[in-house]
Amino acid sequence: MNIPKIAVGDRLELKKKHPCGVSVFEVLRVGSDIRIVCTGCGRDLVLPREKLEKAIRKITPAIPEGGAEPSHG
């Protein structure tokens, strides 16, 4: 079984669209329940991890604070 790695700040593209027409959500909290917020209308949802994992189409990892890797030069 493949368990996806989900972290706070990740963006999840779900198989079904939210009623506002957007299918991308941002992760706010991770645990046995996962709290996500719609990037279109701002509505937040709390879903059981098992149900959310089945609905994920794509995970885009969060960009670390500070942006890109620092240059060493």
Side-chain angles (χ1 to χ4, degrees), residues 9-11 16 18 22-23 27-28 33-35 49 51 58 67:
D10 288 355
R11 289 185 174 251
K16 286 188 175 181
H18 190 249
V22 177
S23 62
V27 177
L28 297 179
D33 291 333
I34 298 177
R35 185 174 176 204
R49 176 183 285 271
K51 184 174 182 179
K58 178 182 170 187

Side-chain angles (χ1 to χ4, degrees), residues 13-69:
E13 182 180 338
L14 303 184
K15 293 175 184 173
K16 286 188 175 181
K17 290 187 177 185
H18 190 249
C20 72
V22 177
S23 62
V24 179
F25 294 80
E26 185 172 343
V27 177
L28 297 179
R29 186 176 63 83
V30 177
S32 60
D33 291 333
I34 298 177
R35 185 174 176 204
I36 57 176
V37 64
C38 176
T39 58
C41 65
R43 171 77 65 156
D44 66 352
L45 310 161
V46 178
L47 299 170
R49 176 183 285 271
E50 186 175 316
K51 184 174 182 179
L52 182 63
E53 286 175 354
K54 291 177 183 176
I56 294 172
R57 177 173 288 154
K58 178 182 170 187
I59 299 174
T60 306
I63 298 171
E65 296 229 1
E69 292 287 321

